[in-house]
Amino acid sequence: MLPIPFLLLLLSSILSPSSAADFCVADLTLPTTPAGFSCKKESTVTVSDFVFSGLGVTGNTNNTLKAAVTPAFSSQCPGLNGLGISAARLDIAIGGVVPLHTHPAASEFLVVTQGAILAGFISSSNSVYYKTLYKGDAMVFPRGLLHFQVQTGRSPAVAFGSFSSPNPGLQIVPFALFANSLPTPLVEKVTFLDDAEVKKLKKVFGGTG
Ligand SMILES: *[C@@H]1O[C@H](CO)[C@@H](O)[C@H](O)[C@H]1NC(C)=O
């Protein structure tokens, strides 16, 4: 039998858990770590830390990809830090594409709200899963796997993705290969592409070397 004061203490700690456990709003003034941002002092947290208002705005698709991603990750919405969830808006103009890319830290569930998107991913065993998605369709891209989205049809496409991390990360294959400073002969060696193709793509994506 436990003494009454101890029981009361136990009960009160169960009924009013420390609010520090409720959230860990990102302190964006400090550097991020693989585990996320440090927590902001609770006395400085406001409702705007939990709100992001940019997802209603069409992204600027005037670029090489003719596509735009508007992230609502922990850098944009600090209240997401530590909660294992985030979102993004995807705009793809006619003829646009989000090339093969990966989010190393997150699975993605993409919901098409406008137009049509040919979307797919490639598994670790190189099986491909792709399908044209229309308004109201959604597709999951398992964590870390290479995937892509291509606009199809006669109107621009809009989709919203949710992610299983507040900081999913993003690496786009053509940028990784052709926007860097890896010497051209080495790029050719590690991709099996020929010299002309690598030089052409380095010009398109801004690579050097
Ligand atoms: C698109 O971008 C190019 C290059 O940055 C620029 O010259 C052009 O004016 C832009 N077009 C529109 C419609 O914003």
Side-chain angles (χ1 to χ4, degrees):
M1 188 74 189
L2 290 167
I4 299 279
F6 180 77
L7 275 177
L8 285 178
L9 197 69
L10 194 69
L11 203 63
S12 79
S13 74
I14 290 168
L15 292 180
S16 55
S18 139
S19 57
D22 288 346
F23 47 73
C24 169
V25 172
D27 183 343
L28 299 179
T29 65
L30 295 175
T32 187
T33 72
F37 288 94
S38 304
C39 309
K40 216 162 116 165
K41 238 197 235 132
E42 199 187 334
S43 57
T44 68
V45 170
T46 69
V47 65
S48 54
D49 288 315
F50 301 104
V51 174
F52 178 74
S53 296
L55 296 178
V57 181
T58 305
N60 180 4
T61 56
N62 182 19
N63 54 53
T64 308
L65 309 179
K66 298 185 186 163
V69 173
T70 306
F73 300 160
S74 48
S75 299
Q76 292 78 30
C77 183
L80 290 169
N81 190 51
L83 297 184
I85 191 169
S86 66
R89 175 187 173 124
L90 171 60
D91 288 276
I92 320 182
I94 289 170
V97 57
V98 183
L100 274 180
H101 64 281
T102 169
H103 308 288
S107 296
E108 173 178 358
F109 194 48
L110 188 78
V111 184
V112 176
T113 59
Q114 204 176 295
I117 292 175
L118 171 54
F121 69 88
I122 304 169
S123 76
S124 304
S125 59
N126 300 319
S127 297
V128 289
Y129 302 88
Y130 66 98
K131 190 172 172 65
T132 301
L133 308 174
Y134 300 93
K135 183 175 173 172
D137 292 341
M139 182 169 182
V140 62
F141 308 104
R143 173 175 165 163
L145 298 185
L146 288 169
H147 59 287
F148 60 84
Q149 289 101 15
V150 179
Q151 182 277 341
T152 64
R154 295 203 202 104
S155 61
V158 181
F160 293 86
S162 53
F163 298 87
S164 61
S165 164
N167 193 12
L170 170 63
Q171 186 169 37
I172 303 178
V173 172
F175 287 93
L177 295 178
F178 309 114
N180 66 29
S181 61
L182 199 61
T184 298
L186 202 43
V187 175
E188 290 160 13
K189 191 76 183 165
V190 299
T191 62
F192 290 85
L193 292 169
D194 66 42
D195 189 58
E197 191 66 16
V198 170
K199 283 181 174 148
K200 186 189 87 180
L201 290 167
K202 279 202 169 190
K203 211 170 250 174
V204 171
F205 292 102
T208 56

